[in-house]
């Protein structure tokens, strides 16, 4: 009997199921009539078939008799998977863009209405990969050329991710291959949609995504500096989710890019960085391994110029501290049970960071500080400003624990307080005040005073003043005498910087017109006083700095003090003396010599010291010695010599004297590595030649042109042009010689070499060499014609040779 009942039940289908089957069968019949149109040969026929399908699917929504949406979706599932899906996927490769667009729209409709959209994944994902990634992802342009369609396809992938969830795990390879390409798409909207899709994919497949997450980091980081700020925000947010659900190994690859985005001009981008980093500090599985790298990024946002961002970052940081405090409650038990009040004179006792925040900074400070100390001297202003702000935040959290890191922090502040950027100096003085607040005077005085004794500087005094300002008065009172005695030392209180105001006040007291008249009255006594210690000077000595100020500000008074001035210069510029001091002194001396008539030659007596200047200063400093420092000093000496010979204070006879003593050294400096040295040497030789007019010994004279000729192969066109100008002057000097026949073989060699450069790739060099050959053509014109005819066929263009030939033909016949 039971078997009979079962048989009857099986033979009598459920009415709902029957209705569902009927609906599916009806839809199948309707679709079967339309689908052949998708195979039409004409674009118009395929488009009409797709439009008919669209009208059918949008207008005739199948519903179960009882109105159950699930039943309707189940009725749609069979025809969709069996008939519609395969044909629509083939339409994604249709040659007509309109047909492809309709196919994507219909696929979107089908996924939304199907009961089991995940069943479409085995066919859908490979088809999307074929249209968006191609066979070699991230290297070739995607097969789909229309950017709006690429966006629609990525949106279709995103829809599949949302509808399918964890069922996407077996198809992660295809999904990630698509995203690696679309994250680099030229269309900004495609990149944004791809970022959102990547984040949802990570959330949907947490158990498998970590195996693929690292392959998305590269494309994401290539897009993080995209010109559209919305793309940058989307990339940052997607990166946060990809790493949250993926591999923590990628944090190191991402952090430098995130740090750069902290300088973004758009507030939303900076806010996204703060949110993502804060989220990692709260929820990242491996966050303890990256605390010392993540903390600086979040703390940097506390000083953001937008108050909302700074406030949100502060809230996130407070949550991070509380979370860490809860996780490490046993370790912090004593500090929690016996928590004391904030330190006396705490700058903000009402808003003191929580224990968890302070402990996080203290325990990671040794890893964070080296990078901060490095970046605070970076060449980029924004980096220095941000680093200086972060240092103050770290010191506020570290409190008394600053002591064990005090020496490197003070050394960094000494450098940073000399910065030209006011924001850097402002933050660094704030850090120095915090040192005074939290560190014992016995400790910081020992270090700061030692630094000031070694190298006093305005920045050092500024740091010292800031530390004292932050120190409680009762703690500082026992040390006031020691501080006053140190500040009274000459090497500190007699520094030479920032003296203009003092000089103006002294001039007013003595009723003289400006600082130059003040120096005229006292420069002799000043130099005699400084001469007593000049043998011990270095580039940092107080006496030398004062001497440099005297040279820079005395003006015409120096011409009256040459007997005191020249011996100091001669002593300080000897090769055995401190190189930085010599470099600085040569630089100052160059400025004096350029304006010699208003400085050292104001009384017309400078020529009396010319012999000392050449023999005792220039000759020893132009001698070759190995090393970059020696090369820099030779460059400074050559520059100083150029200032002398071009100043106009030397007569031709005096320049000839200089030439006789220094020509060998200057010919040597033509081979220096420094382009500036070679250039100035060419110009000095040109001046020497112009004033020689037959006074140079013939053998010495012949040795000049080969050295100049070498410079025509110089890497610098400016040096090549200067050398060519000097060769013109050399040829003119030969023309003035009575016995020019003595030079014929040398002139022939020079003709031959110059004709090579007449075909130089640089037109400016060609023109200069042409002028040189014209200048030298009067010496042996027939010889030049023969040499030119021998090489004319080798030149790429005969233009310059023809110009030279015309010039030669116009020359008057030789007597």
């Amino acid at each position: 009997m039971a078997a009979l009942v079962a048989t009857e039940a099986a033979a009598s289908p459920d009415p709902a199921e029957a209705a569902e089957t009927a609906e599916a069968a009806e839809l199948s019949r309707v679709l079967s009539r339309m689908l052949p149109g998708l195979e039409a040969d004409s674009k118009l026929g395929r488009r009409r078939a797709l439009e008919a399908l669209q009208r059918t699917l949008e207008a005739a929504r199948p519903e179960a008799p009882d109105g159950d949406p699930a039943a309707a979706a189940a009725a749609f599932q069979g025809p969709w998977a069996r008939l519609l899906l395969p044909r629509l996927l083939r339409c994604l490769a249709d040659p007509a863009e309109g047909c492809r667009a309709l196919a994507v729209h219909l696929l979107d409709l089908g996924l939304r209405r199907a009961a089991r959209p995940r069943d479409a994944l085995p066919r859908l994902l490979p088809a999307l990969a074929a249209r968006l990634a191609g066979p070699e992802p991230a290297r070739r342009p995607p097969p789909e050329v229309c950017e709006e369609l690429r966006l629609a396809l990525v949106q279709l992938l995103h829809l599949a991710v949302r509808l399918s969830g964890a069922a996407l795990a077996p198809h992660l390879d295809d999904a990630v291959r698509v995203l690696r390409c679309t994250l680099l798409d030229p269309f900004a909207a495609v990149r944004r949609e791809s970022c959102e899709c990547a984040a949802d994919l990570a959330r949907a497949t947490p158990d498998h995504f970590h195996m693929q997450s690292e392959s998305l980091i590269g494309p994401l980081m290539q897009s993080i500096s995209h010109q559209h700020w919305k793309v940058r925000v989307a990339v940052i947010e997607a990166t946060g989710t990809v790493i949250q659900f993926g591999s923590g190994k990628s944090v190191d690859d991402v952090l430098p890019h995130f740090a750069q985005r902290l300088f973004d001009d758009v507030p939303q981008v900076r806010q996204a960085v703060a949110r993502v980093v804060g989220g990692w500090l709260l929820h990242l599985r491996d966050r303890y391994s990256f605390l010392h790298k993540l903390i600086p990024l979040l703390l940097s946002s506390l000083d953001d110029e937008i108050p909302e961002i700074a406030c949100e970052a502060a809230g996130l940081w407070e949550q991070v501290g509380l979370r860490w405090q809860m996780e490490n409650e046993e370790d912090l038990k004593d500090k929690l049970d016996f928590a004391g009040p904030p330190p006396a004179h705490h700058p903000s006792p009402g808003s003191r960071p929580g224990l968890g925040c302070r402990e996080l900074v203290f325990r990671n400070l040794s890893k964070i500080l080296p990078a901060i100390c490095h970046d605070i001297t970076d060449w980029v202003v924004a980096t220095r400003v941000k680093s200086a702000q972060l240092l103050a935040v770290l010191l506020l959290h570290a409190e008394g624990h600053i002591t064990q890191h005090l020496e490197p922090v003070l050394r960094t502040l000494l450098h940073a307080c000399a910065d030209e950027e006011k924001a850097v100096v402002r933050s660094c003085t704030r850090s120095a005040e915090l040192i005074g607040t939290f560190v014992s005077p016995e400790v910081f005085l020992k270090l700061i005073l030692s630094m000031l004794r070694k190298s006093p500087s305005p920045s050092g005094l500024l740091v010292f003043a800031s530390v004292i300002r932050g120190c409680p008065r009762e703690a500082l009172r026992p040390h006031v005498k020691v501080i006053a005695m140190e500040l009274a030392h000459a090497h500190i209180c007699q520094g030479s910087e920032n003296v203009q105001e003092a000089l103006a006040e002294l001039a007013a007291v003595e009723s003289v017109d400006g600082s130059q008249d003040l120096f005229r009255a006292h420069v002799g006594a000043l130099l005699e006083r400084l001469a007593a210690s000049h043998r011990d000077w270095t580039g940092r000595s107080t006496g030398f700095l004062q001497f440099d100020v005297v040279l820079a500000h005395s003006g015409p008074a120096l011409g009256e003090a040459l007997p005191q001035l020249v011996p100091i210069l001669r002593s300080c510029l000897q090769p055995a003396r401190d190189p930085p001091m010599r470099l600085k002194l040569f630089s100052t001396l160059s400025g004096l010599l350029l304006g010699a008539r208003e400085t050292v030659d104001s009384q017309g007596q400078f020529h009396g010291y010319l012999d000392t200047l050449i023999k005792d200063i220039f000759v020893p400093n132009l001698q070759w010695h190995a090393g970059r420092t020696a090369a820099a000093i030779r460059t400074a000496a050559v520059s100083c010599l150029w200032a002398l010979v071009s100043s106009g204070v030397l007569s031709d006879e005096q320049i000839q004297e200089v030439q006789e003593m220094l020509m060998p050294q200057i010919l040597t400096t033509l081979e220096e590595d420094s382009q500036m040295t070679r250039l100035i040497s060419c110009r000095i030789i040109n001046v020497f030649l112009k004033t020689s007019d037959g006074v140079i010994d013939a053998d010495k004279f012949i040795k000049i042109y080969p050295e100049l000729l070498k410079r025509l192969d110089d890497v610098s066109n400016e040096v090549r042009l200067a050398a060519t100008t000097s060769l013109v002057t050399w040829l003119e000097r030969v023309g003035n010689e009575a016995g020019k026949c003595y030079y014929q073989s040398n002139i022939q060699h020079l003709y031959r070499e110059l004709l090579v450069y007449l075909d130089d790739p640089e037109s400016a060099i060609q023109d200069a060499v042409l002028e040189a050959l014209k200048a030298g053509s009067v010496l042996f014109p027939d010889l030049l014609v023969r040499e030119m005819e021998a090489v004319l066929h080798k030149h790429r263009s005969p233009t310059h040779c023809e110009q030279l030939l015309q010039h030669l033909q116009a020359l008057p016949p030789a007597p």
Side-chain angles (χ1 to χ4, degrees):
M1 186 65 181
L4 179 62
V5 172
T7 303
E8 290 177 354
S12 303
D14 181 75
E17 291 181 3
E20 179 182 319
T21 304
E23 291 292 335
E26 177 62 25
L27 181 59
S28 296
R29 284 193 294 273
V30 173
L31 293 177
S32 297
R33 290 195 300 271
M34 297 178 179
L35 290 177
L38 299 180
E39 309 297 332
D41 293 333
S42 69
K43 175 177 69 175
L44 183 60
R46 296 193 303 275
R47 183 181 182 91
R48 286 176 175 171
L50 287 166
E51 289 173 344
L53 281 171
Q54 180 182 357
R55 288 192 297 271
T56 300
L57 294 180
E58 289 180 347
R61 299 182 63 85
E63 294 184 0
D66 59 357
D68 183 10
F76 179 74
Q77 176 68 36
W80 153 254
R82 186 177 68 257
L83 299 173
L84 199 53
L85 178 64
R87 289 170 173 80
L88 290 178
L89 291 177
R90 286 201 295 271
C91 289
L92 292 180
D94 194 288
E97 183 180 310
C99 293
R100 299 198 304 274
L102 283 168
V104 174
H105 177 62
L106 290 171
L107 285 167
D108 183 276
L109 283 176
L111 282 179
R112 293 177 187 275
R113 291 178 54 181
R116 297 183 304 279
R118 61 184 177 276
D119 292 352
L121 296 179
R123 293 178 176 178
L124 177 63
L125 266 295
L128 292 178
R131 295 306 299 165
L132 290 172
E136 296 181 15
R139 289 302 172 196
R140 293 182 181 177
E144 180 52 67
V145 296
C146 175
E147 57 186 22
E148 287 83 4
L149 273 179
R150 293 200 301 274
L151 175 60
L153 288 168
V154 175
Q155 289 171 337
L156 185 62
L157 172 62
H158 196 180
L159 176 64
V161 170
R162 292 198 301 269
L163 294 176
S164 304
L168 255 168
H171 309 285
L172 264 180
D173 285 350
D174 283 332
V176 170
R177 188 156 70 93
V178 168
L179 291 173
R180 288 184 62 202
C181 246
T182 56
L183 283 169
L184 299 174
D185 196 276
F187 190 25
V190 174
R191 294 200 190 200
R192 290 204 308 273
E193 186 69 28
S194 299
C195 289
E196 295 173 8
C197 183
D200 282 344
L201 182 64
R203 296 186 189 97
T205 58
D207 295 333
H208 302 84
F209 184 73
H210 65 278
M211 295 183 289
Q212 296 279 358
S213 65
E214 291 183 53
S215 62
L216 290 177
I217 296 301
L220 283 168
M221 292 305 99
Q222 291 181 59
S223 296
I224 200 170
S225 57
H226 193 274
Q227 60 183 351
H228 292 183
W229 69 266
K230 290 184 179 180
V231 173
R232 300 199 295 274
V233 170
V235 168
I236 292 167
E237 293 174 345
T239 302
T241 306
V242 165
I243 291 180
Q244 181 70 48
F245 291 93
S247 172
K249 298 176 183 176
S250 302
V251 172
D252 286 331
D253 300 325
V254 166
L255 288 181
H257 300 277
F258 271 35
Q260 195 61 39
R261 288 306 101 207
L262 289 174
F263 302 98
D264 202 290
D265 293 331
V266 179
Q268 290 90 334
V269 177
R270 302 195 302 273
Q271 188 174 36
V273 174
R275 287 174 176 173
V276 169
V277 173
W280 283 346
L281 283 168
L282 286 168
H283 306 297
L284 190 66
R285 286 190 297 270
D286 301 330
R287 62 186 180 278
Y288 277 37
S289 302
F290 303 104
L291 286 175
H292 65 287
K293 299 178 180 179
L294 296 175
I295 288 172
L297 294 184
L298 184 56
L299 291 184
S300 294
S301 299
L302 297 181
D303 286 304
D304 196 278
E305 60 187 17
I306 303 298
E308 291 78 6
I309 298 177
C311 183
E312 183 173 357
L316 285 169
W317 176 235
E318 185 177 359
Q319 293 177 43
V320 170
L322 290 172
R323 175 76 177 267
W324 188 88
Q325 182 176 317
M326 291 173 58
E327 294 171 347
N328 296 270
E329 194 168 1
E330 285 298 319
D331 191 20
L332 301 175
K333 190 174 186 307
D334 290 344
K335 294 183 179 180
L336 289 170
D337 292 343
F338 305 101
H345 303 282
H346 192 285
S348 53
S351 57
R352 184 190 186 193
L355 176 62
C357 295
R358 300 199 309 272
E359 284 291 319
L360 271 173
V361 169
F362 157 58
R363 298 188 182 202
N364 291 277
L365 192 58
S366 61
K367 298 177 182 178
I368 299 174
L369 267 182
I372 301 298
C373 295
H374 175 269
D375 289 348
I376 210 170
T377 58
D378 193 84
W379 67 276
V380 179
V381 172
T383 303
R384 302 200 303 271
V385 172
K386 186 70 73 174
S387 301
Q389 291 173 342
L390 179 56
L391 179 60
V393 174
L394 290 172
L395 297 184
L396 180 63
H397 282 74
E399 296 185 352
H401 299 295
I402 302 172
T403 304
Q404 57 190 284
H405 307 286
L406 188 57
E407 186 172 1
V409 170
L410 284 174
R411 191 164 53 245
T412 299
L413 292 178
L414 287 176
H415 287 288
C417 280
D419 201 291
E420 297 178 356
E421 186 64 33
K422 292 182 179 179
V424 175
V425 177
R426 186 164 55 248
S427 295
C428 288
T429 54
R430 172 67 179 149
S431 295
E433 291 176 2
L434 291 172
I435 290 174
T437 300
F438 296 123
V439 179
S440 167
E442 289 84 357
V443 177
F444 70 67
L445 284 175
K446 182 179 179 181
L447 291 173
I448 295 180
L449 293 179
S450 175
M451 292 178 179
L452 287 176
R453 291 188 196 107
K454 291 178 181 177
S455 56
S457 64
S459 62
L461 292 173
L462 177 58
V463 171
F464 193 19
S466 302
V467 172
I468 291 175
R469 185 164 54 248
C471 186
R473 291 189 177 184
E474 58 274 14
L476 192 64
R477 187 173 292 113
H479 309 279
V480 170
K481 185 176 180 180
V482 173
I483 295 172
M485 291 177 64
E486 287 292 335
L487 293 177
H489 287 164
H491 71 286
I492 294 178
C493 69
Q494 294 182 12
S496 62
E497 292 85 353
N498 303 317
V499 299
Q500 288 292 345
E501 296 83 359
L503 289 175
E505 292 178 5
L506 282 173
V509 170
E510 295 207 1
S511 302
V512 295
D513 187 15
S515 61
Q516 289 192 350
D517 288 341
L518 184 67
F519 274 108
R520 181 175 285 111
H522 300 285
V523 69
L526 273 173
L527 291 175
E528 287 180 3
R529 181 171 176 270
L530 291 170
S533 61
H534 75 275
R535 299 186 185 281
D536 300 323
W537 287 352
T538 67
R540 292 180 174 273
S541 298
T542 302
F544 170 69
L545 297 174
Q546 292 173 344
F547 178 63
D548 190 63
V549 171
V550 170
L551 294 182
H553 293 85
S554 295
L558 292 175
E560 302 173 8
L562 292 176
Q564 296 89 4
L565 173 63
V566 173
I568 299 177
L569 289 174
R570 180 177 57 205
S571 173
C572 291
L573 289 172
Q574 291 306 299
R577 298 300 298 273
D578 181 54
M581 178 182 70
R582 290 159 64 202
L583 282 171
K584 174 63 177 172
L585 200 49
F586 268 125
S587 176
T588 303
L589 186 56
S590 296
L592 295 178
L593 293 176
L594 280 173
R597 295 190 188 280
E598 289 77 36
T599 55
V600 292
D601 199 41
S602 63
Q603 305 301 311
Q605 300 299 315
F606 183 68
H607 64 276
Y609 298 89
L610 184 61
D611 191 64
T612 299
L613 189 67
I614 301 303
K615 291 182 179 179
D616 297 340
I617 294 178
F618 284 119
V619 169
N621 283 285
L622 288 173
Q623 289 180 356
W624 190 90
H625 296 280
R628 293 183 179 180
T629 302
I633 289 175
R634 289 194 297 276
T635 300
V638 168
S639 301
C640 195
L641 178 59
W642 171 244
L644 174 63
V645 299
S646 63
S647 63
V649 299
L650 300 183
S651 64
D652 287 354
E653 292 77 12
Q654 291 168 341
I655 292 179
Q656 290 169 17
E657 293 178 14
V658 175
Q659 176 266 129
E660 290 173 2
M661 289 186 279
L662 292 182
M663 180 65 88
Q665 286 85 353
I666 298 302
L667 289 176
T668 302
T669 57
L670 284 173
E671 301 286 345
E672 289 284 346
D673 291 338
S674 166
Q675 174 188 325
M676 181 61 66
T677 307
R678 301 194 304 272
L679 176 63
I680 296 174
S681 299
C682 289
R683 292 173 176 173
I684 291 173
I685 291 173
N686 193 42
V687 172
F688 285 169
L689 291 173
K690 283 185 176 180
T691 57
S692 62
D693 201 13
V695 300
I696 303 180
D697 178 77
D699 292 335
K700 295 180 180 178
F701 186 72
I702 289 175
K703 294 179 180 179
I704 297 174
Y705 88 89
E707 302 301 325
L708 293 172
L709 202 53
K710 292 178 186 177
R711 289 304 101 214
L712 293 187
D713 287 323
D714 201 279
V715 295
S716 165
N717 283 339
E718 194 174 6
V719 175
R720 300 174 74 195
L721 292 171
T724 307
T725 301
S726 298
L727 283 172
V728 171
T729 308
W730 188 88
L731 288 166
E732 290 172 349
R733 293 279 74 79
V734 173
N736 295 336
E737 293 285 336
K740 66 179 182 181
C741 292
Y742 176 78
Y743 300 100
Q744 182 171 349
S745 62
N746 295 284
I747 298 299
Q748 182 179 8
H749 175 69
L750 183 55
Y751 284 163
R752 191 173 298 155
E753 294 296 323
L754 288 176
L755 284 168
V756 173
Y757 297 103
L758 193 61
D759 194 38
D760 194 86
E762 294 289 338
S763 59
I765 302 299
Q766 287 180 307
D767 295 339
V769 171
L770 178 61
E771 295 305 315
L773 286 168
K774 287 180 179 179
S777 63
V778 298
L779 299 175
F780 304 101
D782 295 338
L783 182 60
L784 179 55
V785 170
R786 289 197 301 273
E787 293 293 338
M788 183 170 57
E789 290 173 346
V791 298
L792 180 59
H793 68 282
K794 300 179 182 178
H795 282 208
R796 290 169 296 178
S797 171
T799 304
H800 286 82
C801 287
E802 291 171 355
Q803 293 178 18
L804 180 58
L805 186 58
Q806 292 174 4
H807 174 79
L808 289 167
Q809 291 172 348
L811 289 176

